[in-house]
Amino acid sequence: MNDLRFALRQLRKSLGFTSVAVITLALGIGANAAIFTLVRGVLIKPLVNRGEDRLIYIRQSALGIGNKNSTWSIPEIQDLKARVKTLTEFGDFSTVPFTIIGLGEPREVNGGVVNGSFFEVMGLHPVVGRLIGPEDDGPKAASVVVLTYRFWSNTLKRDPAVIGKTIHLGSVGEDRSATIIGVLEDCVPYPQETEIIANVASSPHHLSATMVTERVHRMTEFFARLAPGASLEQARVELRSVYATIKKDHPNAYSKQADFQISAKLLRDQITSGARTVLLVLLAASALVFVVACSNVANLILARTVRREGELAIRTALGASTGALRRMLLAESLVLCGSGAALGVLSAQWMVEVLARYASRFSVRALDLTVDSTLLWVGVALAFVAAVILAFAPRLPADTSGALHLSSGSFWVTGSKSRQRIFVVTQIAASFVLLAGTSMLLTTLIALQRTRTGMDTRRVLTVNVPAIFYGKTGRQVVDFYKEVIRRIDALPGVDATAFGMVAPWRDAGSGPSLQFGADGHVLAAGEEDPRAQFRVISPGFFRALGVPIIAGRDFNEQDGRSKEPVAIISETFAQRMFPNQDPINRHVLWSDPVLKVTSKNPPPPQRIIGVAADIDEENIVPEPTLTVYHT
């Protein structure tokens, strides 16, 4: 305690040194504490799912057409359930947009649709009420809904009165009434962040013949648990064998060009795989920041020790032992590092929030991240490590008599220069690595900033407006959107307003990717029809985005009332399908098998009326973009 009181007095006399040292240590300790908290929360901390070591995620991909996750159809899932013996307790999850009426303002939400065994397979429990179970499965069950914990907490303020309440769900097909039966515990929102999770009976589309019988109608994620005694590798071998048989039995559903494949991972590995490399690189960078911070402060302490040579020599001459002197320096280091850790931990809390938002791009588990006592203990541990390093940075006087030093009036703490060189070299090396990595990052960010997206993204605002179909005709819904557009157009500073089913920069790759043919485009031997993204937009969409029409014309109101379907294609599409030709007034015909079962009548050919400049989705969506206006 005497050493600590003396350390405080000494540091108060050197406020400049103390301030610089504390701030430097706060940077090193705070960055490390924040990043370690993030790494622990995403990569190390166990999931809340019970028995997570047996819970696996099964993925189907079509890498030949650039589809890393083509999801599953119900017939495919039924085949796997019937034939695979190394797995038990299967669960499936489909993402469906819903419009909720009955919980305050009508709102558009992301919803999940699950079978009756999903929550049992996932090992999840309710915090209020109950979850969807086997009694809620099948088309004849009552429509029920479970709220996710985040939606219940943030939007509904944890109101227990919502349990048992009846709401209206608007979705594809028709609207349904559903009863809220419970709230799901706080868990990782995988495979999608959703606000509600409903049973199959709540989604008319899931009860349709298309969903139940068509093998090419893929929109479902698939989960399972390993059977007792079965290993993950055994399950993978059996899944590949069964999947090969399924593809052989149904060749029309699995084109050779698409190269359909199956894979299986532990759910924990699936959730964290995308973020592992990024987070480990961040952790390594933060360790370098800590080394640089400690080296900086060590050099400051060495320089300060040179000025304190007289004091240390006098203490030595008066009989102070090396241990006593080292304890005195350790007390000063503990005060410095403790203050730096306190400031670092305080700043690390907002750093964790910023880093979590960034990491959520790579793993949905970052959305589930909360700051807990781990942050404090990491800060304490780093402060102690730094204090020990700094306390042993200077070499103390070796001559216990001190007579020669005192009589001559000159003092020197032996070995300080050599140790200072070591810290300087370490600092420069770590700084060089950080600087090199940072320069590469900045170069990439500048290049991205200069990339031409084809859109005026600086002046475009996108707003989600829920489609309220309940109790309204199709004409009333269309009139509602027209009135919304008219009123927004009238606002000061608004140049143009339009409707689109997706926002290109935000929803890149979303929406169906469908096969098509075109007038005059001849396929090579063995080549399949190309695929394109399907878009639904209103007149003025390209003008609102700042995308020029380079040939033909834009849509107008007459196109919506005309019986002839029309389309606008991208510049890349035109060059690929009609090289050195005029695409205007040629036709595009959708040929995807899924359209033959989702539409009562085959889609008619659509006449091309315009060519729009490319929008930069090519790095994310490998197919040419075909934008279609559909009434």
Side-chain angles (χ1 to χ4, degrees):
M1 292 304 299
N2 287 332
D3 289 331
L4 287 174
R5 282 193 289 268
F6 178 75
L8 286 170
R9 288 198 301 271
Q10 289 291 96
L11 293 174
R12 276 201 300 266
K13 293 177 182 178
S14 306
L15 290 179
F17 162 80
T18 303
S19 301
V20 172
V22 167
I23 293 172
T24 303
L25 289 168
L27 173 63
I29 293 173
N32 276 268
I35 292 175
F36 182 81
T37 300
L38 182 65
V39 170
R40 176 183 176 274
V42 176
L43 301 183
I44 301 174
K45 189 177 180 181
L47 300 174
V48 300
N49 305 69
R50 282 71 177 172
E52 62 170 288
D53 58 327
R54 312 290 293 174
L55 177 57
I56 69 169
Y57 170 77
I58 307 170
R59 168 170 285 185
Q60 180 174 225
S61 58
L63 300 179
I65 56 175
N67 194 343
K68 294 181 180 180
N69 185 12
S70 62
T71 61
W72 298 92
S73 64
I74 296 301
E76 290 173 324
I77 290 175
Q78 290 172 341
D79 284 348
L80 290 173
K81 286 181 179 180
R83 303 183 190 186
V84 177
K85 306 304 179 185
T86 53
L87 300 176
T88 183
E89 298 182 273
F90 300 92
D92 52 66
F93 181 104
S94 305
T95 303
V96 176
F98 286 108
T99 299
I100 295 181
I101 299 176
L103 291 177
E105 289 285 331
R107 69 184 78 244
E108 182 183 16
V109 298
N110 245 358
V113 175
V114 302
N115 65 341
S117 61
F118 176 78
F119 289 113
E120 184 65 28
V121 171
M122 299 299 286
L124 296 173
H125 294 166
V127 292
V128 179
R130 68 177 182 89
L131 301 180
I132 295 169
E135 67 274 18
D136 304 304
D137 214 353
K140 295 183 180 180
S143 298
V144 293
V145 164
V146 171
L147 306 178
T148 60
Y149 186 82
R150 186 175 285 106
F151 178 68
W152 182 60
S153 299
N154 298 342
T155 304
L156 303 179
K157 309 304 180 187
R158 301 186 185 183
D159 181 8
V162 298
I163 305 301
K165 194 170 187 177
T166 299
I167 59 175
H168 296 293
L169 296 178
S171 65
V172 178
E174 59 182 90
D175 298 326
R176 290 282 174 99
S177 296
T179 303
I180 299 174
I181 61 171
V183 177
L184 179 64
E185 65 181 317
D186 195 10
C187 60
V188 177
Y190 196 84
Q192 282 281 348
E193 184 180 8
T194 56
E195 285 80 22
I196 65 170
I197 300 175
N199 64 342
V200 170
S202 301
S203 173
H205 182 71
H206 280 70
L207 303 177
S208 66
T210 298
M211 187 74 180
V212 175
T213 63
E214 292 303 327
R215 187 168 295 272
V216 296
H217 188 58
R218 300 180 173 102
M219 60 176 291
T220 303
E221 307 276 5
F222 194 30
F223 304 84
R225 283 192 174 270
L226 292 170
S231 67
L232 178 59
E233 190 55 38
Q234 288 173 332
R236 284 171 174 163
V237 171
E238 187 181 21
L239 281 169
R240 285 193 289 265
S241 175
V242 170
Y243 188 66
T245 303
I246 293 173
K247 291 200 295 183
K248 185 178 179 180
D249 293 342
H250 305 277
N252 293 334
Y254 307 94
S255 70
K256 292 183 179 179
Q257 181 181 340
D259 187 24
F260 280 90
Q261 299 178 15
I262 189 173
S263 62
K265 284 184 178 180
L266 289 176
L267 178 64
R268 179 190 183 88
D269 294 339
Q270 175 64 31
I271 291 173
T272 60
S273 59
R276 184 175 299 276
T277 301
V278 172
L279 292 184
L280 292 179
V281 169
L282 278 175
L283 189 61
S286 69
L288 289 174
V289 170
F290 182 69
V291 170
V292 172
C294 288
S295 298
N296 271 327
V297 178
N299 283 323
L300 288 173
I301 287 177
L302 287 172
R304 184 168 178 265
T305 305
V306 171
R307 295 195 301 271
R308 298 176 65 188
E309 289 168 358
E311 174 198 338
L312 296 175
I314 291 172
R315 287 177 177 274
T316 303
L318 293 176
S321 65
T322 301
L325 294 178
R326 192 68 70 185
R327 192 175 65 243
M328 181 189 72
L329 294 177
L330 180 60
E332 291 186 7
S333 298
L334 285 173
V335 172
L336 286 174
C337 295
S339 303
L343 183 59
V345 168
L346 288 174
S347 63
Q349 296 186 32
W350 67 263
M351 277 195 273
V352 168
E353 296 177 4
V354 173
L355 289 168
R357 285 198 295 270
Y358 169 72
S360 64
R361 301 182 179 188
F362 306 97
S363 174
V364 293
R365 196 170 189 196
L367 295 170
D368 193 41
L369 187 66
T370 55
V371 177
D372 54 22
S373 59
T374 303
L375 185 66
L376 175 62
W377 290 116
V378 171
V380 170
L382 290 171
F384 183 76
V385 171
V388 172
I389 293 173
L390 298 179
F392 285 85
R395 183 174 295 174
L396 299 177
D399 181 7
T400 56
S401 68
L404 177 62
H405 299 283
L406 291 172
S407 61
S408 63
S410 68
F411 316 102
W412 181 253
V413 180
T414 58
S416 290
K417 284 190 174 180
S418 61
R419 294 196 178 193
Q420 194 166 15
R421 291 192 190 98
I422 293 173
F423 283 115
V424 168
V425 170
T426 303
Q427 177 183 346
I428 292 174
S431 299
F432 179 78
V433 174
L434 278 175
L435 191 60
T438 304
S439 64
M440 293 176 63
L441 176 63
L442 287 175
T443 301
T444 303
L445 291 175
I446 291 171
L448 287 173
Q449 189 70 19
R450 292 178 177 175
T451 298
R452 299 194 177 189
T453 63
M455 302 173 288
D456 185 7
T457 54
R458 293 173 299 176
R459 301 193 311 125
V460 176
L461 175 68
T462 178
V463 181
N464 283 346
V465 180
I468 304 175
F469 293 99
Y470 188 76
K472 294 189 169 52
T473 65
R475 184 71 260 168
Q476 288 175 320
V477 174
V478 172
D479 290 342
F480 166 76
Y481 279 111
K482 286 184 176 180
E483 179 63 14
V484 169
I485 290 174
R486 186 191 67 80
R487 292 193 185 187
I488 295 176
D489 266 336
L491 296 176
V494 175
D495 293 332
T497 310
F499 165 82
M501 67 184 296
V502 297
W505 65 93
R506 186 194 63 188
D507 307 319
S510 62
S513 176
L514 305 174
Q515 288 182 297
F516 67 94
D519 290 347
H521 180 72
V522 180
L523 297 175
E527 183 185 3
E528 297 180 350
D529 282 342
R531 307 182 76 86
Q533 293 291 318
F534 183 86
R535 297 284 188 265
V536 177
I537 64 174
S538 72
F541 180 82
F542 296 108
R543 177 170 171 260
L545 286 179
V547 177
I549 301 293
I550 59 178
R553 64 173 178 85
D554 196 355
F555 296 120
N556 56 41
E557 291 296 332
Q558 283 68 37
D559 292 322
R561 292 190 285 266
S562 173
K563 294 183 178 181
E564 180 188 26
V566 293
I568 292 176
I569 62 176
S570 68
E571 185 178 4
T572 297
F573 182 100
Q575 293 171 354
R576 189 175 303 179
M577 304 302 294
F578 310 106
N580 302 317
Q581 301 177 52
D582 183 7
I584 304 302
N585 292 324
R586 293 179 180 270
H587 290 82
V588 174
L589 177 64
W590 295 106
S591 59
D592 199 283
V594 74
L595 291 176
K596 298 176 183 178
V597 296
T598 57
S599 303
K600 295 181 180 179
N601 300 310
Q606 295 177 310
R607 182 170 62 89
I608 299 171
I609 62 170
V611 178
D614 286 334
I615 297 175
D616 186 21
E617 284 186 288
E618 289 296 310
N619 293 325
I620 305 172
V621 185
E623 302 89 1
T625 299
L626 176 62
T627 305
V628 180
Y629 179 81
H630 185 68
T631 54

